[in-house]
C-alpha cells in the first residue's frame, strides 16, 4: 500500500465530517431559524393540543428561549452524541422512531442495488458477446429503463405478480418475495446508469491495443470480457454507484409507499402530514450521512482498485527561466514551408 494512503484517507475523512456538519447546520437553519420559526408555530398550533406545561418543556429542551447561536451549538452537540430530539407528535425519541424504520429501508435499498448490479452486468455482458443485432438491441435497454419511473414499474409489478399471479401478498409487504419485487421496481432505473457507464468502459477497453491483439490471436469474446475488459471497465462503476445512492434513498421512499412497506418513507410521510419537524430534520441529516459515507468509501476504494490514481494533486515544479543566449524568443519563428 502507498505510504501516502493513510494521509489521503484521513484528509477525505475530515472532509466528510465537515460536509455532514454543514448539512446539519443548513437543515437547522432552514427549519428552525428562518422567519416564522416553524417549530414554535407547531407547538402553538391549537390543533396539536399541547398543554402549556408540554410547550414549556419543549421550549426548554430545544432552547427556543435562547439566542439562535446557542440553539445551534446545543443542536450540534445533541447531533454528535446521537440525540436527534423528541417527536412533537408521539413524544418519543426521534432516534428510536428513525432507528425502527431504518432496517426495512436499508434492506430495500441494498436489495435494489444488488438487482441493479446484476441487470447492469447482464446488459453489459450481452453487448460484448452476443451477435451485432442483439447487442445493438441491448444497448437501447438502459434508455428504456431510465425513462420509466420506479413507481410505474412498481404498480405494474403489483398488478401482475400480486393481484394476477398471487406470488406475494400486499398484506405482508415485508415478506422476502414482496421485498424482492419492490427491489426490482427500485433497481431497474438505477441499473440503467450503471449499465451505460459499464458499456462505455467496455467499448473503450475493447478498442485498446492489448484487447485487439488478444482478440486477433483467437481469444474468445467471453474470455476476453472476464480476463481483460471487466476490471478496468468496472472502475468508473464505483463512482456511479456512489452517485446513485441519493436516487436509491429517494426512490426507496416512493417504492415503500407503493408497496405499503413500513420504513423511512412512511416516517417521512407521517412527519410531513403532522408537521413533525424534528423527525424531518433527523431524516435529512441521516440522508446526508449515508450519502457522504458512501462517497467516502468510493473515494477510499478507488486508489486501491487502480494504482494509477494519484492520491494528491501534483505540485507544479518551478522551472527557472533560461538566461543569456538560452533565453527563449518572445515570438517563435514560423515553420518554413516545404516546397
Amino acid at each position: 500500500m502507498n505510504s501516502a494512503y493513510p494521509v489521503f484517507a484521513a484528509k477525505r475523512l475530515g472532509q466528510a465530517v465537515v460536509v455532514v456538519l454543514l448539512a446539519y447546520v443548513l437543515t437547522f437553519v432552514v427549519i428552525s431559524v428562518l422567519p416564522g420559526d416553524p417549530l414554535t408555530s407547531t407547538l402553538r398550533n391549537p390543533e396539536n393540543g399541547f398543554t402549556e406545561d408540554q410547550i414549556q418543556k419543549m421550549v426548554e429542551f430545544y432552547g427556543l428561549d435562547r439566542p439562535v447561536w446557542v440553539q445551534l451549538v446545543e443542536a450540534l452537540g445533541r447531533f454528535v452524541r446521537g440525540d436527534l430530539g423528541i417527536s412533537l407528535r408521539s413524544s418519543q425519541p426521534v432516534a428510536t422512531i428513525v432507528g425502527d424504520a431504518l432496517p426495512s429501508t436499508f434492506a430495500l435499498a441494498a436489495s435494489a442495488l444488488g438487482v441493479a448490479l446484476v441487470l447492469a452486468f447482464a446488459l453489459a455482458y450481452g453487448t460484448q458477446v452476443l451477435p451485432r443485432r442483439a447487442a445493438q438491441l441491448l444497448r437501447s435497454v438502459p434508455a428504456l429503463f431510465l425513462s420509466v419511473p420506479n413507481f410505474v414499474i412498481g404498480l405494474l409489478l403489483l398488478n401482475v405478480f400480486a393481484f394476477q399471479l398471487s406470488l406475494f401478498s400486499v398484506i405482508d409487504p415485508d415478506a422476502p418475495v414482496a421485498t424482492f419485487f419492490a427491489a426490482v421496481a427500485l433497481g431497474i432505473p438505477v441499473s440503467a446508469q450503471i449499465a451505460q457507464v459499464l458499456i462505455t468502459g467496455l467499448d473503450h477497453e475493447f478498442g485498446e491495443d492489448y484487447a485487439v491483439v488478444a482478440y486477433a490471436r483467437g481469444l474468445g469474446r467471453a474470455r476476453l470480457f472476464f480476463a481483460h475488459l471487466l476490471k478496468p471497465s468496472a472502475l468508473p462503476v464505483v463512482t456511479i454507484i456512489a452517485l446513485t445512492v441519493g436516487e436509491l434513498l429517494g426512490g426507496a421512499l416512493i417504492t415503500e409507499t407503493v408497496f405499503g412497506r413500513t420504513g423511512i418513507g412512511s416516517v417521512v410521510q407521517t412527519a410531513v402530514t403532522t408537521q413533525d419537524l424534528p423527525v424531518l430534520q433527523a431524516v435529512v441529516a441521516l440522508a446526508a450521512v449515508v450519502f457522504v459515507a458512501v462517497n467516502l468509501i468510493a473515494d477510499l476504494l478507488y486508489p486501491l482498485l487502480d494504482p494509477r490514481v494519484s492520491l494528491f494533486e501534483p505540485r507544479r515544479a518551478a522551472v527557472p527561466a533560461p538566461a543569456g543566449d538560452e533565453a527563449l524568443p518572445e515570438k517563435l519563428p514560423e515553420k518554413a514551408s516545404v516546397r
Side-chain angles (χ1 to χ4, degrees), residues 97-109:
I97 297 175
V98 175
D100 292 341
L102 272 181
S104 177
T105 300
F106 279 171
L108 175 60

Side-chain angles (χ1 to χ4, degrees), residues 120 123-125 127-128 138-139 142 191-208 210 225 229-230 232-237 240:
L123 290 174
Y125 180 76
T127 60
Q128 301 300 313
L138 286 181
R139 290 176 183 274
S191 69
Q193 305 175 46
I194 301 175
Q196 191 61 51
V197 171
L198 185 56
I199 291 171
T200 302
L202 288 169
D203 291 341
H204 172 75
E205 293 298 326
F206 187 74
E208 294 294 323
Y210 74 92
F225 176 86
L229 302 182
L230 182 59
S233 303
L235 291 176
V237 175
I240 199 64

